[in-house]
Amino acid sequence: MSSYAAASEAVPITGEATPVSLCAREPHVPADRLVGELVPPPRFDSVRFDNYIPDPQQPSQAEAVRVLAGFAGSLGGAGSADGARKRWFRREAAVPAGPGGVYLDGGYGVGKTHLLASLWHATPAPREQKAFGTFVELTNLVGALGFQHAVQALSGHRLVCIDEFELDDPGDTVLVSSLLGKLAGAGVRLAATSNTLPGKLGEGRFAATDFMREIQGLSARFRSLRIDGQDYRHRGLPEAPAPYADAQVDAAAHRTPYASLDDFDALLGHLARVHPSRYGALCDGVDAVFLRGVTPVEDQATALRLVVLADRLYDREVPVMASGAPFDQLFSAEMLAGGYRKKYFRAISRLTALARDAKGLAGGAA
């Protein structure tokens, strides 16, 4: 069974090859679990500064490792969580030594997430005093808990890492910037990355000035680390594997332990009734997802919910086998050219990778 699974009110998985339906699950996730799950996903469990291999032709990579290792070491004496919480309730701003935050400025494929997760692992603080999540996970946390409760839940941390800081939604950007401002005032150190929009692939990165401008008053707290390197992901969208027939998906689902089986349209409807912060719990105990009748998504709100589910499945390395349309046809050309295009490109890439992982589940199916 998946090591990422945790107790919830979702329908249990028995281990027998009888698939469950994600649509039958109504998980209710307590606040402490939402915060406790803000850790690097399983695929980054083993990353460390030591196994990041800097390109000798790109000295900025080795320099980033050196600076981040020093930043992690500086967090060892940052004080207790109780002390940080007392500062918050007394509204006393702690002034940390050195930069209050670091921003990793680089294009796709240079190892920013590897370095950010390595920083989390290297920080000498208990697991419950450091957090790692994507920008979307932070916005979902605030949506689930409310702003003040989210601040209180994180203000005792020594480090909060935000991967893939997104600048495509002004409202969410202001929300997360306000959250980080409150956390910085409580003495929490911050680290962040962001990625290039697909429409700016030729540029290779968001400029650091874009990030600093969007976080407004927080910019003085961040030290920008530029990470140069070859962009291995700028090769266009990957070609998705050919979809299977419904009968092949059904047969594979019924012979695969810890599997879920759903009609695609029904699952999309169910996602609208479950808060995105609970999508991780929705997947508890599921080691493989089987979908019948994948069709292009036309509604943007539905598409954005699907992006979050794709992220949670990718984090957990859950293969996806599907019939219907291939995953590279999920979103229209208009969506892929719009303001949320980075999210859609990421979802296609991740679902395609999970579809490739599912090939072994198909048995003798072509």
Side-chain angles (χ1 to χ4, degrees):
M1 183 183 294
S2 169
S3 63
Y4 212 95
S8 75
E9 296 182 34
V11 175
I13 301 282
T14 64
E16 300 176 356
T18 301
V20 299
S21 169
L22 297 181
C23 295
R25 298 180 145 200
E26 298 280 353
H28 298 283
V29 184
D32 59 348
R33 175 177 170 178
L34 289 176
V35 177
E37 287 186 339
L38 291 177
V39 297
R43 63 178 60 247
F44 291 102
D45 278 347
S46 62
V47 301
R48 298 293 188 274
F49 291 132
D50 288 346
N51 54 35
Y52 177 84
I53 309 300
D55 183 344
Q57 303 300 316
Q58 303 291 348
S60 62
Q61 294 185 7
E63 175 66 5
V65 172
R66 186 190 68 79
V67 173
L68 288 172
F71 185 73
S74 74
L75 300 177
S80 69
D82 289 341
R85 289 192 182 94
K86 290 176 182 177
R87 286 195 300 273
W88 160 248
F89 287 113
R90 291 199 307 264
R91 300 187 182 277
E92 294 178 6
V95 180
V102 290
Y103 166 65
L104 308 186
D105 173 35
Y108 288 105
V110 296
K112 298 191 306 299
T113 301
H114 183 130
L115 290 172
L116 191 68
S118 298
L119 171 63
W120 187 93
H121 286 297
T123 296
R127 181 187 181 96
E128 63 272 14
Q129 290 185 22
K130 49 188 180 179
F132 182 106
T134 64
F135 180 90
V136 172
E137 286 177 304
L138 275 187
T139 58
N140 288 340
L141 180 72
V142 175
L145 301 184
F147 185 81
Q148 294 297 340
H149 284 104
V151 171
Q152 292 175 22
L154 295 173
S155 63
H157 286 55
R158 295 187 188 176
L159 174 70
V160 171
C161 298
I162 310 98
D163 198 24
E164 298 177 347
F165 199 102
E166 298 181 359
L167 307 178
D168 51 16
D169 187 309
D172 284 348
T173 300
V174 171
L175 177 70
V176 174
S177 294
S178 299
L179 173 66
L180 298 185
K182 292 291 187 181
L183 297 180
V188 180
R189 301 286 192 95
L190 308 170
T193 75
S194 66
N195 275 330
T196 308
L197 287 168
K200 296 185 178 180
L201 293 183
E203 298 175 25
R205 63 163 52 87
F206 274 134
T209 53
D210 293 338
F211 174 80
M212 298 303 183
R213 180 183 64 249
E214 294 299 333
I215 61 173
Q216 300 174 17
L218 277 176
S219 61
R221 297 181 181 269
F222 280 84
R223 173 177 178 176
S224 176
L225 298 178
R226 179 168 176 167
I227 305 173
D228 297 302
Q230 184 177 355
D231 189 344
Y232 293 102
R233 301 179 191 178
H234 291 174
R235 299 176 180 174
L237 287 174
E239 182 178 353
Y244 296 91
D246 286 349
Q248 292 172 312
V249 172
D250 282 340
H254 281 87
R255 65 172 175 262
T256 303
Y258 308 113
S260 69
L261 174 63
D262 292 275
D263 291 321
F264 185 68
D265 286 345
L267 179 59
L268 294 183
H270 187 60
L271 293 180
R273 298 185 290 274
V274 178
H275 192 276
S277 65
R278 300 175 181 174
Y279 288 3
L282 194 68
C283 303
D284 275 356
V286 173
D287 282 356
V289 166
F290 296 84
L291 298 173
R292 290 181 298 232
V294 171
T295 57
V297 180
E298 299 180 357
D299 174 69
Q300 186 149 264
T302 302
L304 291 173
R305 287 191 287 267
L306 182 59
V307 168
V308 177
L309 179 64
D311 286 342
R312 300 292 79 77
L313 293 174
Y314 185 78
D315 287 346
R316 291 158 173 76
E317 301 179 311
V318 177
V320 179
M321 181 177 176
S323 65
F327 288 132
D328 56 7
Q329 296 178 19
L330 268 179
F331 309 110
S332 68
E334 182 180 4
M335 284 184 172
L336 293 177
Y340 295 109
R341 56 196 182 274
K342 183 173 78 74
K343 298 177 190 284
Y344 300 144
F345 274 68
R346 184 178 75 228
I348 291 172
S349 176
R350 291 184 167 186
L351 287 171
T352 295
L354 296 178
R356 288 173 175 160
D357 291 343
K359 283 187 175 182
L361 303 176

